Every structure is written in C-alpha cells, then in structure tokens.
Amino acid sequence: MVHLYNFTLAELKDWLAHEFGEKPYRAVQLFEWMYQKRATGFEEMTNLPKSLREALAERAFLRSAKEVVRQDSKVDPTSKFLLEWPDGVTVETVLMRHNYGNSVCVSSQVGCKMGCTFCASTLGGMIRQMQAGEMVEQLMYSQSLLDGQGGRVSSIVLMGSGEPMDNYDNVMRFIDIVSDAHGLNIGQRHITISTVGLVPGIRRLADEGRPITLAVSLHAPNDELRGRMMPVNKAYPIAKLMEACHYYYQKTGKRISFEYALVAGQNDSLACARELAELIRDLPCHVNLIPVNYVPEREYRRTEKKQIYAFWNALQEAGINATIRREMGHDIAAACGQLRAQHMNRRA
Ligand code: SAH
C-alpha cells in the first residue's frame, strides 16, 4: 500500500501515469482533493472516474495515524497532540494560534539522538525517522482542528522532536508537498527549520537556495559550555558552525535566528551575553531567548525573569537584535518531547 501523502505533485503525476495510465491533470485533481478539500477517503473525490477511485482505494491510503492524546491549553489558544502510527511509535505536534496566523510545530523524528542535556525528546534515543507523509499527516491533523473554525495553517516550525537536518531528504520532500500551490500552499518563507547545528546540512541548505528560514540552536557562546550542554558541539564546534552560518548568509542573504535557552547558573550570566554578542556581531541575525522549559527527568532551573531581561538588555546594548520568546502552552507540557515522555512513562 502506498501512502499518498508521501508524494510531491510531480511524483504523484508520475505514479498515476505509470500505474494507471492517467494524464497529469488527474494528479492535480487528486492533489487538490487531498490538500485543498481535505478528503479523507477516495469515494469523496467525485470528479475522478469511479474506476480510478476504486483502484486507488486498493493500492493507496491517506491517513494512517490516530490521535492518542490531545491537550488544549487553558491559558492560551494552543493545542498539543500525540499521534500514533501503526508500528506503535508516537510523536507530538503543537498547534499555536497567534493573532498573525496559525503555526504548527512538527516533529521530524521519533525521539532524537542528539543528546542535548536540557531536552526531553532525546531521553529515549532515536527510534526512527518520520517519513515525509507522516510529517504531512501532522499538518493535516492540525488543519482539521482549524477547519471547523475557518482557519488555515499559515506557518510551520520544524521544532518538534528530532533533528530535521538528520532527516534532510524527508524534511525537504515534506516542505515541497506542503508548499505546493495546488495543495496547502504554505510559502517556504513561512517555514522554519531549527537545527542543533549540523554543519553539512546548513551548507547544503545554503547551496539549494530555498527561501526557508533557518534557526540555529546555539544556547552557549563558547565550546566549553556548549560542549557540556550539547554533545553535537564535539563534532561541529562553534568556529565551524559560525563559518557555516556566514556561508548561509552569503549564499541566501537571509538572516539567521539563533535560539538560546536560558538555564539558571549555566549560560545566563551577563558575561555570557557579552561573549554571545561578540561571537555573532558581524552576522545579520536575530536571537530568540527561551526561558528553559522544566523537564522532570532533567536537573536544572530556569533563569529568573529579572535576569532574562538583564541578559536581553546586555545583548541590545551590544547592538544585537533579540526577543524573549513568548511562552505558549506552558500548562500542557509544550516543550519538545514532554508529552511523549509522559505518555511512555504512563505505559511503562
Ligand atoms: N533538533 C532541532 C529542533 C528541535 S528543538 C534543534 O535542536 O534545533 C527546538 C528548540 O527547542 C531547540 O532550540 C531546542 O534546543 C529547544 N529546546 C529543547 N528542549 C528545551 C527545553 N526544555 N526548554 C527550552 N527549549 C528547549
């Protein structure tokens, strides 16, 4: 059986031609049914010949995941849900309703192998990659929650579980599918990939010249500190990472966002802020300061509000653009991997 959400429109055209001798416009019709009319079954697709609908039902499917948990925040319009696939794996997805549009946070892997010390996603290691179609399903599920309210998903952040640059081809295929004008039509400018800092991936993205937004999880201004928080720093130390970031800017002309999760007593001193400013001052960029989310399995404290502002202020004074990330869904375990970790603990 073929998962149709895995196909780009071009691939769907090839597949329909090859398997059923259909003309390209049929693929466009099918694609529009899937993504614009949000069909969940082939029988709905009334402008396709009945014989084709029946043949499709025998050979292909659309949705394969089921919802196992859904939480709607009481403090803001955020929904978080856990989907389960037939092989038993679960990943979480977050839908954030902002006043400027609806944003979905997608998971790119089941678990993660990057080992960042503050992150819940990596606690059980990496189980498997998410296929492109499975990421599409996370989006279609989010869109189905909005359909009742007349809303649409307008932006995507690949900031759920997993490292998107460690699943590069599937992530790009996913982006090709959801940005297609015959489908969900979410512009690549409104899609952000967040990476732990895999240098080859950053360089490849730069060379491909896609208008995607790049976010880099920096979290510390020097190798000593970053190495303690993020094992990946051994393979790609800060100097190499910064070289890749400069290359990315040269190639694309796009500003990079640096993510910096503030952990009390670790990376939140004003000396760190000044060192950070020094490190990135000659690169057009923006810093997102994230008050670290508490993860029960991890031992650390979040920085006090006063110190967060002091840190932000030190960056501003050094001429660095920075914002303090607004927290959403704080009451529903909205940090990456938290919901899945809770679910697995309950099952164990
Ligand atoms: N693997 C990618 C994307 C997933 S995480 C990456 O590392 O960028 C998205 C962001 O959330 C990253 O910046 C990550 O470092 C951060 N993050 C992970 N756990 C967190 C926590 N407990 N509190 C705050 N931010 C966290």
Side-chain angles (χ1 to χ4, degrees):
M1 292 289 269
V2 170
H3 191 190
L4 287 188
Y5 285 154
N6 264 318
F7 285 141
T8 61
L9 179 55
E11 289 166 343
L12 192 62
K13 285 178 183 169
D14 287 347
W15 187 72
L16 280 186
H18 187 261
E19 301 294 316
F20 308 103
E22 291 288 351
K23 296 238 160 52
Y25 78 92
R26 286 285 184 219
V28 174
Q29 286 176 323
L30 176 54
F31 205 78
E32 288 176 350
W33 273 110
M34 287 161 59
Y35 297 115
Q36 294 184 349
K37 298 175 202 153
R38 332 253 204 254
T40 52
F42 300 108
E43 67 290 346
E44 296 167 47
M45 304 179 174
T46 45
N47 60 352
L48 301 184
K50 190 150 187 288
S51 56
L52 177 60
R53 281 184 269 154
E54 284 169 0
L56 283 170
E58 269 171 31
R59 300 281 308 280
F61 62 94
L62 296 169
R63 302 207 178 175
S64 55
K66 64 169 201 279
E67 177 198 289
V68 285
V69 183
R70 171 165 153 210
Q71 296 177 341
D72 297 306
S73 170
K74 291 181 185 66
V75 295
D76 58 53
T78 297
S79 304
K80 176 155 188 164
F81 47 92
L82 195 67
L83 297 181
E84 182 176 295
W85 272 271
D87 64 350
V89 302
T90 54
V91 304
E92 57 210 272
T93 309
V94 187
L95 166 63
M96 292 160 285
R97 301 170 181 89
H98 304 283
N99 49 14
Y100 54 82
N102 301 301
S103 171
V104 176
C105 178
V106 170
S107 290
S108 56
Q109 295 180 320
V110 184
C112 184
K113 62 177 185 219
M114 295 298 146
C116 300
T117 54
F118 45 85
C119 183
S121 297
T122 198
L123 287 167
M126 212 264 272
I127 311 298
R128 70 166 173 83
Q129 303 286 14
M130 279 267 102
Q131 298 302 307
E134 294 172 330
M135 291 181 255
V136 173
E137 267 193 86
Q138 295 177 52
L139 213 65
M140 293 304 286
Y141 182 87
S142 311
Q143 181 59 58
S144 72
L145 298 183
L146 293 170
D147 279 336
Q149 304 147 15
R152 76 178 275 269
V153 175
S154 52
S155 61
I156 299 171
V157 290
L158 281 138
M159 293 189 182
S161 293
E163 167 51 41
M165 295 286 191
D166 187 42
N167 188 13
Y168 194 95
D169 292 333
N170 285 324
V171 165
M172 293 309 154
R173 171 189 292 263
F174 159 70
I175 290 173
D176 286 338
I177 296 166
V178 297
S179 61
D180 197 295
H182 287 287
L184 293 169
N185 195 19
I186 300 169
Q188 296 204 11
R189 277 183 182 73
H190 305 290
I191 300 177
T192 300
I193 291 188
S194 176
T195 177
V196 77
L198 298 187
V199 163
I202 295 173
R203 290 186 172 269
R204 185 169 164 194
L205 188 63
D207 289 334
E208 287 176 2
R210 287 167 175 269
I212 298 170
T213 300
L214 180 65
V216 174
S217 298
L218 193 55
H219 302 320
N222 60 60
D223 284 328
E224 203 267 314
L225 193 51
R226 193 166 189 267
R228 267 191 277 146
M229 298 171 74
M230 305 175 72
V232 71
N233 197 69
K234 295 188 179 64
Y236 303 110
I238 288 183
K240 291 265 176 295
L241 176 58
M242 290 310 295
E243 263 173 43
C245 290
H246 278 274
Y247 181 74
Y248 180 86
Y249 181 73
Q250 278 159 20
K251 283 285 211 175
T252 64
K254 292 197 60 141
R255 262 192 347 170
I256 291 177
S257 288
F258 287 109
E259 286 153 287
Y260 198 101
L262 290 158
V263 185
Q266 261 189 41
N267 63 353
D268 65 345
S269 68
L270 295 186
C272 280
R274 287 190 279 267
E275 202 179 347
L276 173 63
E278 199 54 45
L279 180 69
I280 60 180
R281 67 176 339 132
D282 55 348
L283 181 68
C285 65
H286 179 267
V287 176
N288 260 317
L289 296 174
I290 314 165
V292 79
N293 278 301
Y294 175 68
V295 177
E297 293 82 352
R298 303 295 204 188
E299 278 195 12
Y300 51 73
R301 284 175 306 115
R302 62 174 18 197
T303 300
E304 304 281 340
K305 260 208 175 94
K306 213 172 126 218
Q307 182 62 16
I308 296 180
Y309 281 104
F311 195 98
W312 173 81
N313 199 42
L315 289 180
Q316 293 286 118
E317 275 176 4
I320 303 292
N321 262 309
T323 42
I324 300 170
R325 181 173 294 169
R326 215 182 109 214
E327 289 184 76
M328 296 192 73
H330 198 52
D331 58 329
I332 53 168
C336 325
Q338 279 181 271
L339 186 60
R340 176 167 168 267
Q342 283 173 2
H343 179 70
M344 297 207 302
N345 286 343
R346 265 199 299 274
R347 271 207 302 211

